[in-house]
């Protein structure tokens, strides 16, 4: 609400300044007049529109939620590397202290973005395969062996 009031106040200020320029009789072709018009009318209008649309200022709730999702996804990928690239919802729930629904939602999002693939065991257990994480650990071991053997 405060953002909308601020945007409205800036628009009112810009309108007041424009009215002052119109009534002043100043030559609009002069560079100094154009610069003053730009600074006192156009700039407040641009800032007002940006504030109104939410481009200026931080939507802290949305930003915090985005940061939380990214942290959860990073922890899931770290866990997948530890588990040779295969995770179940229960493993993610236990390791990250998430609800089952939240863990499934995060895993499904990674699957939707093709970071993971969904599969079933012969017993019907649902699991997610992270191919990059599966092979990352093997590559790290090979690098250690090649560095240590050189």
């Amino acid at each position: 609400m405060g953002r909308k009031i601020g945007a409205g106040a800036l628009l009112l200020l810009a309108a007041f300044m424009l009215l002052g320029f119109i009534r002043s009789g100043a030559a609009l072709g002069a560079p100094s007049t154009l610069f003053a018009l730009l600074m006192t009318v156009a700039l407040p209008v641009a800032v007002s529109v940006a504030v109104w649309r939410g481009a200026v200022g931080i939507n802290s709730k949305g930003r915090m939620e985005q940061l939380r999702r990214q942290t959860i996804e990073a922890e899931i990928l770290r866990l997948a590397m530890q588990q040779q690239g295969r995770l179940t919802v229960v493993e993610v729930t236990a390791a990250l202290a998430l609800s089952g629904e939240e863990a499934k939602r995060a895993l499904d999002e990674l699957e939707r973005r093709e970071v993971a693939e969904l599969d079933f065991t012969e017993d019907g257990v649902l699991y997610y395969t992270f191919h990059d994480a599966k092979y990352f650990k093997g590559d790290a071991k090979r690098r250690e062996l090649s560095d240590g053997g050189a």
Side-chain angles (χ1 to χ4, degrees), residues 89 92-93 99-109 118 126 128:
V89 173
V92 172
T93 299
S99 69
E101 181 181 303
E102 195 172 20
K104 180 158 178 26
R105 188 174 34 242
L107 287 164
D108 286 343
E109 175 61 21
L118 192 57
L126 176 73
Y128 295 80

Side-chain angles (χ1 to χ4, degrees), residues 1 17 69 77 82-83 97 108 147:
M1 182 70 175
M17 295 304 284
R69 278 191 313 266
L77 292 173
Q82 291 174 349
Q83 300 294 329
D108 286 343
D147 290 344

Side-chain angles (χ1 to χ4, degrees), residues 76-87 114-117 119 127-143:
I76 289 173
L77 292 173
R78 183 190 54 77
L79 185 61
M81 286 188 278
Q82 291 174 349
Q83 300 294 329
Q84 288 76 43
R86 283 180 59 165
L87 291 175
E114 299 179 358
V115 175
E117 288 182 7
D119 208 350
Y127 68 92
Y128 295 80
T129 302
F130 297 80
H131 292 288
D132 291 342
K134 183 177 181 179
Y135 298 113
F136 180 78
K137 192 166 190 172
D139 287 344
K141 282 183 181 176
R142 265 187 249 127
R143 275 186 250 126

Side-chain angles (χ1 to χ4, degrees), residues 15-116:
F16 180 72
M17 295 304 284
L18 181 63
L19 181 64
F21 269 105
I22 291 171
R23 295 187 72 186
S24 72
L28 289 178
S32 60
T33 304
L34 288 177
F35 180 74
L37 190 61
L38 180 71
M39 294 301 291
T40 59
V41 177
L43 186 61
V45 168
V47 170
S48 174
V49 169
V51 167
W52 188 271
R53 294 179 132 196
V56 173
I58 297 174
N59 181 353
S60 61
K61 186 176 179 181
R63 178 70 182 135
M64 291 298 289
E65 182 59 32
Q66 179 187 14
L67 184 59
R68 185 172 190 281
R69 278 191 313 266
Q70 289 172 340
T71 302
I72 290 170
E73 289 176 2
E75 287 299 313
I76 289 173
L77 292 173
R78 183 190 54 77
L79 185 61
M81 286 188 278
Q82 291 174 349
Q83 300 294 329
Q84 288 76 43
R86 283 180 59 165
L87 291 175
T88 64
V89 173
V90 173
E91 289 171 328
V92 172
T93 299
L96 303 182
L98 299 172
S99 69
E101 181 181 303
E102 195 172 20
K104 180 158 178 26
R105 188 174 34 242
L107 287 164
D108 286 343
E109 175 61 21
L110 290 168
E111 191 256 340
R112 185 191 68 76
R113 292 192 341 239
E114 299 179 358
V115 175

Side-chain angles (χ1 to χ4, degrees), residues 143-150:
R143 275 186 250 126
E144 286 175 10
L145 290 174
S146 67
D147 290 344

